[in-house]
Amino acid sequence: MAKGKITYSTIRGDSPGYYALVCVLGALSLAGFGSAFMMFSQGHYITGMTNAVPWGLPIVIAIYLIGLSAGSLVLSALSSVFGKTEFKAFSRMASLLAALLMISALISIVLDWGKPERILVPFFSINPRSMFSLNGMLYSAYITICFVYLWAMFNEKEKLVKIIGFTAVFWAVLVHSGTGAIFGFVGARELFHSPLLPPSFIAAALSSGTALMIMVLYFTFRFTGRKLDEELLRRLGFYLAMFIIVVAYFVFIENITRSYWPSNYAMQKFLLLSGNKYSLIFWLGMVGCGLVFPFVILINPATGKSVRWILVASALVVTGVLAERYTIVIPGQVLPLEIFPGMNVTSDFQDGQINDYSISLAETLYGLGLTSLVFFLYVLALKFFELMPEEAVIASDIPDTSGTGKN
Amino acid sequence: MSELDRRIFLKLGAAAVIGTTLAPGITLFQAFAQDETEGRTSSKDRWGMVIDTNKCTADCTECTAACRTENNVPLFGDPRYDGHWIRKVTVTPKTDGAHSRSLPLLCNHCEHPPCQHVCPVAATFTREDGIVMIDKHRCIGCRYCMIACPYKARTFVFKNTEKWSNPDVPKRGKGVVEKCTFCAHRIDKGQIPSCVEACNKSGEKAMVFGNLNDPNSEIVQYIREHAPKGLREDLGLEPKVFYKGI
Ligand code: SF4
Ligand code: SF4
């Protein structure tokens, strides 16, 4: 444990800049809820969803936020579980953010239902075979764990912190595997059905979550004028580069396996080579922004040490993983179901044809709003609770016990 | 358990579940999921259908029209949102463009229905006689079932509609998923599904409906003789709608 005790304090939060930020985030969140209400009162036809593509941006955003939350929780566990005491100062902020991201994700899922007013039904009526039903429990327990973790940290119950830290890491693995399984277990759709989805969800969660934390930490410390040791961001940048490699490996294996077998040629051609928006999002968004560009930035000695460049890389990853989420959810529905293999199919219900999905204005506001909600609550919480350390520095007299902390 | 006992039990259970957000509600689930059709259906029956694609013609839409009227399947004038419980599909082998077939596609009432497996609130259930149904009062409209059904047999109610042709079949409001019920309300009265009736009356007599458990039924005889196939049998769902001639 760090010798110099970390002091946490609330932020002043009385500058015009702070109020402006709160107002903007609050307004965006309201817009999000407004569009959710429109969906509720008008029906889902105001979204881009159709009978052929029944899941749209709200699901993309939900699994995106769930993923982002993993990184935060793992960061907060780095010190208590993995002995990386230099990150202890961030634990409170990170676990709060983890909880907020998950709460927002749950809201995004529920408000996307055709009948959000039936919110209590899943509590009474459980289907243990449904990944949605199981995940509902995993997610709520996760939120609970985050808050207990916070409580333990606030009350400096070191032993409890450690135990919950372990639980949290274990639970995060369940949560992300479970989220991947929502898609991976669906045998009806070639692009979903894959045992790789649960582990690759964990990997993408780690990379996007770490990237988000780097940005949140940098800007929070910068705007509050508190001291943040740049070396800490560099170390996180190193972890980020490692996580990117794992994600890239999964993406590669998944696609090379599919592309190998002739029955998948048409599908892979559509996804990788067609030049339509789905393949653009795949290559530019998921592969470019999510993997290649940030990785090059992070491992290049000229840029990898610069905080500015690390921030650029993080922003790229956060964007790239959104593209990855989109690529998981949407193309698998856009491609027609193979009901009659070896046949050309036509009907007045778009059978056999490639469907279209375009994000509507209502969905854009919805996604933006629920993402803003996270930061709206985060910024407010910083003002009312002692979450932020006065400073985050690497104490030079703490030996790096793990031996791998250097990059 | 008496009705009152059950209610109290449920209320207590509900409080506990909400309190913890976690308690595994398996017992609750079982108490709740009592088959609402109890007494009317029998596990002795197993309803199924055969479609002879050699008889079905491309320009005939008797079955789909009859279903729309019978079951109040909504039309919004926008093909992306229209409800479909049964639809006409034309299939042409990629290797033989001249050999086209027309056929109706509907819910297969799979023996192992993935739509039911994924439904988080058990709103989709299988009756004792094998008909897969949706409880519109319980469905939360999450649409996971639409993702899981390999036959695109389910549609979502995208908006409310005032059209209501048949009061025997309750209207679904926006926000829930709906699909073919094999006209369960008619079966319970001893009738056959309205698509089959329409096909027999004014169509090409391309559909056979009956009890797969009854060795003397027309459908079992037909299956023995012609060995029709289910769609995508490789998926292992054991669909109960069979096609001859594709
Ligand atoms: S055809 Fe689709 S909707 Fe019908 S039982 Fe099978 S999986 Fe469910
Ligand atoms: S949309 Fe309704 S029937 Fe379908 S999975 Fe969700 S709750 Fe079940």
Side-chain angles (χ1 to χ4, degrees):
Chain A
M1 286 296 118
K3 250 195 232 153
K5 201 164 145 34
I6 304 164
T7 354
Y8 296 90
S9 61
T10 56
I11 63 168
R12 278 211 324 283
D14 52 6
S15 66
Y18 178 84
Y19 285 119
L21 185 63
V22 169
C23 288
V24 170
L25 290 172
L28 282 174
S29 314
L30 268 184
F33 282 113
S35 91
F37 181 75
M38 289 292 284
M39 267 161 70
F40 170 69
S41 59
Q42 306 281 303
H44 274 59
Y45 75 95
I46 65 165
T47 68
M49 295 171 232
T50 61
N51 274 322
V53 184
W55 278 357
L57 193 68
I59 296 284
V60 175
I61 291 292
I63 62 170
Y64 179 57
L65 295 177
I66 291 168
L68 288 174
S69 128
S72 321
L73 194 69
V74 165
L75 179 74
S76 72
L78 267 177
S79 64
S80 58
V81 177
F82 299 104
K84 304 258 177 248
T85 48
E86 68 267 34
F87 295 109
K88 186 166 190 276
F90 306 136
S91 298
R92 292 186 182 183
M93 297 160 69
S95 49
L96 173 80
L97 208 56
L100 294 180
L101 284 159
M102 186 57 92
I103 291 172
S104 211
L106 272 179
I107 297 178
S108 179
I109 292 173
V110 172
L111 293 183
D112 178 50
W113 293 350
K115 296 269 175 206
E117 70 273 33
R118 296 190 178 164
I119 172 73
L120 288 181
V121 174
F123 293 109
F124 297 107
S125 188
I126 287 164
N127 176 6
R129 194 169 174 175
S130 163
M131 280 322 295
F132 255 16
S133 191
L134 291 179
N135 279 328
M137 299 181 220
L138 289 179
Y139 298 166
S140 352
Y142 181 88
I143 295 171
T144 315
I145 290 175
C146 290
F147 281 118
V148 175
Y149 197 32
L150 262 178
W151 178 86
M153 284 189 284
F154 269 104
N155 294 289
E156 312 208 347
K157 305 205 178 304
E158 291 298 337
K159 210 165 156 205
L160 188 62
V161 168
K162 213 171 169 95
I163 295 171
I164 300 178
F166 270 107
T167 321
V169 172
F170 171 72
W171 209 260
V173 170
L174 284 185
V175 159
H176 298 289
S177 308
T179 311
I182 293 175
F183 304 89
F185 284 0
V186 174
R189 294 172 194 266
E190 284 300 329
L191 271 179
F192 286 178
H193 196 213
S194 159
L196 277 190
L197 271 184
S200 69
F201 259 64
I202 300 179
L206 289 174
S207 79
S208 63
T210 309
L212 179 75
M213 270 330 284
I214 291 176
M215 303 208 309
V216 167
L217 290 178
Y218 176 83
F219 288 112
T220 315
F221 278 84
R222 170 120 190 235
F223 286 138
T224 48
R226 299 190 184 184
K227 188 166 181 311
L228 171 64
D229 196 331
E230 293 195 346
E231 180 56 23
L232 286 170
L233 292 184
R234 278 189 210 109
R235 286 188 191 175
L236 284 178
F238 172 76
Y239 291 136
L240 179 56
M242 297 301 111
F243 293 143
I244 290 175
I245 296 179
V246 183
V247 176
Y249 175 75
F250 279 120
V251 170
F252 177 73
I253 288 291
E254 179 103 56
N255 282 285
I256 198 81
T257 308
R258 280 209 205 102
S259 305
Y260 191 86
W261 202 253
S263 60
N264 295 330
Y265 286 171
M267 177 177 87
Q268 287 301 93
K269 216 171 125 192
F270 172 80
L271 187 62
L272 306 180
L273 303 174
S274 61
N276 59 20
K277 64 182 170 203
Y278 309 106
S279 62
L280 278 182
I281 290 174
F282 181 95
W283 287 112
L284 271 183
M286 169 170 165
V287 175
C289 294
L291 306 169
V292 179
F293 307 145
F295 186 71
V296 170
I297 292 175
L298 290 169
I299 56 149
N300 180 355
T303 48
K305 296 275 171 242
S306 138
V307 168
R308 233 165 245 280
W309 277 108
I310 293 177
L311 283 174
V312 172
S314 303
L316 283 170
V317 170
V318 168
T319 321
V321 171
L322 181 58
E324 193 236 0
R325 295 327 201 184
Y326 177 95
T327 302
I328 287 172
V329 179
I330 306 296
Q333 303 175 69
V334 166
L335 281 168
L337 287 162
E338 274 283 344
I339 307 175
F340 303 92
M343 306 259 200
N344 290 320
V345 188
T346 53
S347 79
D348 56 1
F349 190 29
Q350 298 111 38
D351 282 290
Q353 79 191 45
I354 288 169
N355 305 297
D356 186 44
Y357 169 71
S358 317
I359 300 168
S360 75
L361 176 68
E363 281 170 288
T364 311
L365 288 177
Y366 188 101
L368 216 58
L370 283 162
T371 316
S372 306
L373 178 68
V374 175
F375 298 102
F376 175 69
L377 296 174
Y378 170 74
V379 171
L380 282 184
L382 286 183
K383 180 166 173 163
F384 295 107
F385 302 99
E386 290 172 351
L387 292 157
M388 225 194 138
E390 307 251 296
E391 58 173 14
V393 289
I394 303 179
S396 49
D397 54 340
I398 305 172
D400 189 358
T401 44
S402 67
T404 52
K406 284 270 175 288
N407 50 17
Chain B
M1 214 185 266
S2 80
E3 185 56 34
L4 192 64
D5 279 351
R6 200 177 127 208
R7 250 191 242 147
I8 294 171
F9 168 62
L10 283 175
K11 269 191 194 147
L12 284 176
V17 173
I18 296 169
T20 60
T21 67
L22 241 194
I26 311 298
T27 40
L28 266 183
F29 162 64
Q30 279 162 350
F32 218 74
Q34 289 199 347
D35 194 341
E36 311 173 2
T37 55
E38 222 173 318
R40 277 188 284 146
T41 66
S42 155
S43 55
K44 286 200 210 96
D45 302 328
R46 215 75 194 153
W47 302 109
M49 190 185 282
V50 179
I51 289 152
D52 184 347
T53 62
N54 296 321
K55 287 189 182 162
C56 182
T57 54
D59 48 2
C60 177
T61 52
E62 292 295 335
C63 56
T64 55
C67 175
R68 220 172 258 296
T69 318
E70 176 71 28
N71 293 302
N72 307 313
V73 183
L75 265 184
F76 301 111
D78 185 332
R80 293 172 303 169
Y81 308 127
D82 289 341
H84 290 275
W85 286 22
I86 181 169
R87 63 191 192 268
K88 285 300 297 287
V89 175
T90 307
V91 296
T92 318
K94 284 180 185 154
T95 47
D96 176 9
H99 195 78
S100 252
R101 284 274 186 270
S102 177
L103 50 94
L105 197 61
L106 63 160
C107 170
N108 288 281
H109 298 275
C110 307
E111 196 59 37
H112 307 289
C115 55
Q116 178 178 341
H117 301 159
V118 302
C119 179
V121 293
T124 295
F125 62 97
T126 306
R127 302 197 333 170
E128 283 198 318
D129 56 4
I131 299 182
V132 177
M133 301 274 280
I134 305 167
D135 178 350
K136 67 165 188 160
H137 299 292
R138 199 186 297 188
C139 171
I140 53 176
C142 68
R143 314 185 292 290
Y144 197 1
C145 51
M146 297 172 72
I147 297 286
C149 170
Y151 307 103
K152 218 162 89 170
R154 296 177 159 240
T155 47
F156 183 63
V157 186
F158 276 87
K159 40 181 155 174
N160 280 329
T161 162
E162 291 314 315
K163 290 186 205 119
W164 190 8
S165 41
N166 180 8
D168 278 352
V169 175
K171 212 164 92 173
R172 286 77 51 193
K174 69 167 162 42
V176 296
V177 167
E178 56 176 18
K179 71 165 190 70
C180 156
T181 63
F182 262 174
C183 282
H185 60 290
R186 292 171 58 99
I187 291 180
D188 294 343
K189 287 189 278 187
Q191 298 168 319
I192 57 169
S194 91
C195 55
V196 184
E197 190 178 84
C199 185
N200 283 343
K201 209 183 276 170
S202 21
E204 309 292 336
K205 303 189 176 47
M207 297 165 121
V208 181
F209 182 83
N211 186 354
L212 299 171
N213 275 357
D214 174 2
N216 299 318
S217 64
E218 185 192 356
I219 190 168
V220 172
Q221 304 290 338
Y222 193 98
I223 291 174
R224 278 203 194 127
E225 194 174 330
H226 301 282
K229 291 265 168 295
L231 300 175
R232 287 299 306 268
E233 284 185 340
D234 58 313
L235 293 172
L237 311 179
E238 297 180 23
K240 291 201 276 281
V241 177
F242 304 88
Y243 292 83
K244 186 189 158 210
I246 51 165

